[in-house]
Amino acid sequence: MEARILIVEDEEKLSRFIELELMHEGYKTDKAGDGRMALDKALKESYDLILLDIMLPGLNGLEVLRRLQKEKPTPVILLTARDAVMDKVAGLDAGAVDYITKPFAIEELLARIRVALKLHPMIQENQTRRTDGNKEGILTWGSLEVDLPGHQVHYAGHEITLTNREFMMLKTLLENRNIVLSRETLLEKVCGYEYLGETNVIDVYIRYLRAKIDNVFSVKMIQTVRGVGYVIKDPSPEEKV
Ligand code: CA
């Protein structure tokens, strides 16, 4: 089945251009020209991926992204005309799986779309599987429980809300317990091998994860190995509770 992609872009020419390219690649497409229409469509319909411009009339892209992640998490690639690092960090933190800076080469956008679809195969589908009640696909660390198919994280029963990228990072570290992973390895696993970003984005995610888990529950889960990378080791006895 072809992936369904919503293109949210107020520049008519660019929107049409992207649409034609995506259709040529065999994707099903839909378009929205402003923030409100985008949010409306995204909540009503089911898309595998949303390409979301940040500078939009009505409701800006970051706001659309925040509301969407709250009500109906869908993989989003941000289209940003700005070079401001804060916009990108804010976007990734709000749950975007990737971003691309305008003007971009269409080949790069298509590559990022392929990676995003590979890394985030239909979150909705995963959510319906959650009700099965089986314990398969659960990673634990002390009182931490990561439900992979359900995309949920709990610490001693407290729900922790993670963005897609933070979730992937935690999953990767837990699946490689006691193995020190370099920033390059983490970048490849979390962002996809075609991701062209810098490895210091990994430090940003580690900081977010620590702020949401280590700092809140007073544990030392994620350890820094200076000059090498990061590792989650077996929990110490007091963290095993
Ligand atoms: Ca725009």
Side-chain angles (χ1 to χ4, degrees), residues 150-196:
H151 221 269
Q152 282 196 328
V153 182
H154 286 90
Y155 193 94
H158 298 274
E159 189 173 353
I160 302 165
T161 309
L162 299 183
T163 62
N164 284 331
R165 283 265 167 94
E166 290 163 359
F167 187 89
M168 286 298 292
M169 180 83 111
L170 180 60
K171 172 178 178 277
T172 305
L173 285 166
L174 282 173
E175 283 175 342
N176 294 281
R177 198 190 274 217
N178 299 317
I179 299 170
V180 182
L181 299 178
S182 68
R183 288 176 178 79
E184 289 75 19
T185 303
L186 283 167
L187 192 69
E188 187 186 313
K189 301 233 187 227
V190 174
C191 304
Y193 66 96
E194 284 171 282
Y195 185 78
L196 304 166

Side-chain angles (χ1 to χ4, degrees), residues 218-237:
S218 303
V219 289
K220 279 212 159 72
M221 180 176 68
I222 304 172
Q223 299 184 20
T224 307
V225 180
R226 204 168 281 222
V228 187
Y230 296 99
V231 63
I232 292 181
K233 293 185 181 165
D234 290 331
S236 62

